[in-house]
Amino acid sequence: VLFLPLLACGPAPAAGGLATEANAPASPYAFDVRLTLTPRAAEKLVSTKERIIVAGMYWGAPNAAAKPTADEMGQIPLGEDFVEVAAESATITVPAANFDPVQLPNVEGAPQVLVNVYSARKTHEDNLLDCGIYEGPVSMAQKQPVDIQCDLINWPDGMAPN
């Protein structure tokens, strides 16, 4: 049995990449995430004063001319937002405040977004959440809130962080 403790986790937010709903300007690439926590996940996060990061990482498939400039995943990065929120079920706006439209001429087709949710690592060095993800066209994410459900990671006996 292989145990993957980093399931549904992501990087710590880069300096300057943290967006909040209150300071986010309107963007044509913004969308909402409907975040649902299980009761045990909410209880653990609240009791330890931990917060949540909702990450929106934008990308596009390179057109023929841009293929040599694609990243290691073969994609053209279009920016990323890290929205820090309280540990509760809520609808969160991912503002696309860091979306870079300058790269759009290098993209074939519609811009895509990967949505990843994980604990903010304010009080724990490890991610505590096992969350679903969304990856697909930004336009689909805008049609209705993206549903992301989170529970606590099921750690093997003796391995759970305190």
Side-chain angles (χ1 to χ4, degrees), residues 59-144:
W59 61 276
N63 59 29
K67 282 187 181 184
T69 64
D71 66 11
E72 66 277 357
M73 298 293 292
Q75 302 170 343
I76 301 296
L78 298 173
E80 48 192 22
D81 284 329
F82 299 95
V83 183
E84 184 176 312
V85 297
E88 61 188 17
S89 295
T91 299
I92 296 104
T93 297
V94 178
N98 298 308
F99 187 93
D100 183 9
V102 171
Q103 291 295 330
L104 285 174
N106 296 321
V107 171
E108 183 176 298
Q112 307 288 307
V113 66
L114 169 63
V115 178
N116 197 354
V117 177
Y118 46 91
S119 58
R121 297 179 177 99
K122 300 283 185 184
T123 60
H124 290 277
E125 68 179 66
D126 295 316
N127 175 39
L128 302 175
L129 294 174
D130 178 3
C131 302
I133 65 167
Y134 169 81
E135 186 166 23
V138 173
S139 61
M140 289 297 293
Q142 292 174 320
K143 289 184 186 222
Q144 63 184 12

